[in-house]
Amino acid sequence: MTFEFTATVLGSPRIGPKRELKKAVESYWAGKIDAAALESVAETLRRENLKALVAAGLDSVPVGTFSYYDHVLDTAVLLGSLPERVQHIADEKDRYFAAARGNDTIAPLEMTKWFDTNYHYLVPEISSTTTFSLHPQKLLDELKEARALGIPARPVVLGPVTFLLLSKSIDDARLLDRLEDILPLYADLLKQLADAGAEWIQIDEPALVADRTSDEIDSAKRTYDYLSALETRPAILLASYFGDLGGALPVLASTGIEGLSIDLTAPGTVEQVAAVPSLATKRIVAGIVDGRNVWRTDLDRSLATLASLLGSVGSLAVSSSCSLLHVPYTLDGEDGIADPLRSWLAFGSEKVAEITVLARALRYGTDAVDSELSAARAASATRRADPRLHDASIRARLDAGLSVDRSSAEERRRSQTLGLPPLPTTTIGSYPQTTRIRVARAALRNGEIDEAEYLRRMKAEITEVVALQENIGLDVLVHGEPERNDMVQYFAEQLNGFAATTNGWVQSYGSRCVRPPILFGDVSRTGAMTVDWITFAQSLTDKPVKGMLTGPVTILAWSFVRDDQPLSESADQVALAIRDETVDLQAAGVRIVQVDEPALRELLPLRAKDKEHYLRWSVRAFKLATSGVADSTQIHTHLCYSEFGEVIDAIVALDADVTSIEAARSHMEVLDDLNRVGFDLGVGPGVYDIHSPRVPGVDEIAESLRAALKAVPAERLWVNPDCGLKTRGAAEVEASLRNLVEAARSLRE
Ligand code: GLN
Ligand code: ZN
């Protein structure tokens, strides 16, 4: 009989409540601390996390979820499959970080989004010559460390099917064929973990919540038939999260695994569980507390859901829907968030507390948690009644059915008289965020300078950037975005309906963290947000300066969003605020407005059946944001960070007069894709990659432009870099842009 735990989470944040790991890792990279110092920071963070989880009342605690950089990279290490180009590095940490970040001579692994979250993982590379071998030391050490503290530890690994499905095939080898090579390693691992005292192991298979071929589902079945048939092993908890297992659910349930975690925050999962008879012998780990959002759980509703499951499954434990990696650590110290908003929220530690409350209620009845239930009810009552969530004037404007269509592209083209040369040159928005800018922002925050001095300094930056662009000879200028800490946070701070945290950091990748704003209410502007900056920049030059805004989809994608209304409604509200801003910019004499949507691809749902709906509302929101202006105002948009295949029709539907798009790394392929779907508006494929400090030569840029001209007629082609320049150094930016302008000029002749 295996130990029947009742309350757990699927994983924890690891960057540290005060970003201790980030700081330690970066110091280590800079050579300021040694490996021992780094390890000691890591060990303290792990221990404190474990102890806190047990103290809160969890009776099974995940271990092995700690990572110095990324858990998928850790899995590649576990399976001995780091790419050949780092294998010669003798020091284990140096090798690991070289694979993660590269160095002067070694390219790092590619990085991409972890399902539909804002976390990014490193993509393991597998070729037909890759060999696998087991390196379980990290996991065994962390298990031992936890057990020594008396923690009811449950080792966690990424499952073999997901590992292979997330990897990249270097020579077109079929990745799932490699299952035969890695399954014996997992078998060995399970045995070693059982010998080391693990009663349960959690094997994560989130890839199974996306659309999968029958081949892939068969592979999953084969995997879990095999692993569950092993003689010496811990009980297996197969963890699914980020959605419903769909057709994979009955298949997995038919294997000999002991437990299965189900994301109960995903629509339809309760019914799916009830419909699979073989779950009557399994332990279901109920992912009822949302691990990806920041809202307090509706305990009454959750208890009703859990109660409805009790009859159809073997036994039940309460958990988070996914790892708590995706939410901030705690509300403690968030003194800037006042009640009642604060009472509506639950970050990591508050979610753990909710899980234990639900588990206690299941075990001892609701009387045992009476005060917690009352508190949750009171919070939800104030939330429902709060006037900030129901702004009648915003809703009336949206209900009035604003038109989201502009005149035909041809009509707009005729009225947009900007006097630009063919192949106009421009940049994407930001210029280098220099130390000077950061110092000024910090000084304002700490009260060392006042608002007026801050304004003066930012205007000095803008003056410099405008002069630089004129000197370089660019045709359409930008103000450089010095006043923006971040392209979403900057707007969230000014809009009604958003709140900011002081310490709500969430790991984005490696040592990089973000602090997403919280969208809690109806959205509106308190006034113009960007007009003063843009008109100031425009006053310095006769060339057109682009107004620069972030689009509604990107603002939502990089925030924690409301869960009390569909995302599409929140998108429309944000879009309306952006629309108001475009109209104000136009009234102030701005002739080009760029509305960035780099995250358009990011929010695309995992399952095909949900994609169309998403694309419909996201395109509509963008059009709502950009259709309030006259024909004579030219709308630009900017897209990046992705392969655009699945959103290519949506790009056409955005109907922006000019679309700048990341293209340098994929050799302008996106232009052919756009042609195939009949795109006939202005397009600026990035002619050089801004992710590297390298200065592209004139010939090289001209070469890219010639390639672009094969796909796009000169009247529609714009010349610009791949993305904003804020992370680059001033000298390389200037040199690159001079070459870009020269290349455009040479082609004009
Ligand atoms: N306008 C933004 C900038 O240049 C766009 C950034 C982005 O695409 N991520 O920084
Ligand atoms: Zn970009």
Side-chain angles (χ1 to χ4, degrees), residues 9 129 157 351 403 434 463 483 488 528 541 671:
V9 289
T129 58
V157 287
K351 284 174 188 290
S403 158
T434 56
T463 307
E483 80 288 12
V488 167
T541 176
L671 296 179

Side-chain angles (χ1 to χ4, degrees), residues 4 28 44 93 156 207 229 261 341 402 412 424 451 547 555 608 615 639 648 668 671 720:
E4 299 246 311
Y28 177 74
T44 306
K93 280 203 177 53
V156 178
S261 84
L341 170 57
L402 293 166
R412 288 166 5 219
E451 191 71 38
I555 289 182
L615 290 171
L639 305 168
I648 204 87
M668 305 276 149
L671 296 179
N720 46 257

Side-chain angles (χ1 to χ4, degrees), residues 15 111-112 118-121 506-514:
I15 202 75
M111 195 167 64
T112 194
N118 285 329
Y119 177 78
H120 302 74
Y121 71 93
V506 177
Q507 188 177 20
S508 169
Y509 65 87
S511 69
R512 196 172 145 77
C513 302
V514 292

Side-chain angles (χ1 to χ4, degrees), residues 472-508:
I472 291 173
L474 288 152
D475 301 307
V476 171
L477 311 194
V478 295
H479 78 296
E481 306 179 23
E483 80 288 12
R484 302 187 188 176
N485 38 6
D486 171 281
M487 65 186 288
V488 167
Q489 202 184 325
Y490 178 75
F491 290 97
E493 277 169 7
Q494 302 187 66
L495 288 166
N496 295 319
F498 281 92
T501 66
T502 14
N503 201 37
W505 296 100
V506 177
Q507 188 177 20
S508 169

Side-chain angles (χ1 to χ4, degrees), residues 428 598 638-641 662 722-724:
I428 305 303
H638 167 69
L639 305 168
C640 63
Y641 293 138
E662 179 178 316
D722 251 354
C723 191

Side-chain angles (χ1 to χ4, degrees), residues 74-312:
D74 294 342
T75 314
V77 173
L78 172 77
L79 299 174
S81 63
L82 286 185
E84 223 155 279
R85 61 182 181 280
V86 303
Q87 299 279 9
H88 66 278
I89 303 173
D91 179 79
E92 202 182 309
K93 280 203 177 53
D94 290 351
R95 187 163 66 233
Y96 178 83
F97 288 129
R101 313 168 62 225
N103 59 31
D104 288 347
T105 53
I106 292 174
L109 294 176
E110 257 176 43
M111 195 167 64
T112 194
K113 266 171 70 84
W114 176 241
F115 300 90
D116 55 354
T117 71
N118 285 329
Y119 177 78
H120 302 74
Y121 71 93
L122 291 160
V123 183
E125 294 172 10
I126 296 177
S127 75
S128 46
T129 58
T130 302
T131 55
F132 296 97
S133 54
L134 187 68
H135 302 265
Q137 211 52 52
K138 170 182 181 293
L139 192 53
L140 290 170
D141 286 349
E142 287 178 32
L143 175 61
K144 197 163 151 198
E145 175 182 84
R147 287 176 57 84
L149 292 170
I151 305 286
R154 182 180 78 241
V156 178
V157 287
L158 188 60
V161 180
T162 296
F163 174 75
L164 290 176
L165 288 173
L166 293 185
S167 295
K168 175 175 163 174
S169 168
I170 295 305
D171 46 15
D172 287 332
R174 221 186 71 98
L175 290 175
L176 278 181
D177 288 346
R178 304 307 297 274
L179 260 183
E180 318 313 320
D181 300 323
I182 63 174
L183 284 184
L185 304 185
Y186 274 87
D188 187 3
L189 177 68
L190 263 56
K191 176 169 189 318
Q192 294 196 42
L193 290 172
D195 291 345
E199 288 192 63
W200 281 89
I201 179 173
Q202 173 182 328
I203 309 186
D204 285 3
E205 291 285 14
L208 300 177
V209 306
D211 291 329
R212 289 295 160 205
T213 62
S214 53
D215 246 20
E216 290 164 346
I217 295 196
D218 285 350
S219 298
K221 164 135 178 79
R222 206 149 34 88
T223 297
Y224 289 95
D225 278 339
Y226 168 82
L227 292 177
S228 59
L230 295 169
E231 199 122 307
T232 313
R233 63 168 178 88
I236 296 175
L237 166 63
L238 194 151
S240 74
Y241 44 88
F242 301 150
D244 68 283
L245 283 165
L249 178 62
V251 177
L252 296 170
S254 75
T255 69
I257 59 170
E258 283 73 18
L260 190 58
S261 84
I262 302 286
D263 179 353
L264 293 174
T265 67
T269 41
V270 176
E271 295 75 12
Q272 286 176 12
V273 167
V276 178
S278 48
L279 288 176
T281 60
K282 307 281 186 211
R283 180 159 195 72
I284 293 301
V285 172
I288 190 93
V289 169
D290 192 339
R292 302 174 58 169
N293 214 332
V294 290
W295 303 107
R296 186 175 195 145
T297 305
D298 181 334
L299 296 177
D300 288 315
R301 200 172 58 199
S302 301
L303 280 173
T305 303
L306 294 171
S308 76
L309 282 175
L310 277 172
S312 34

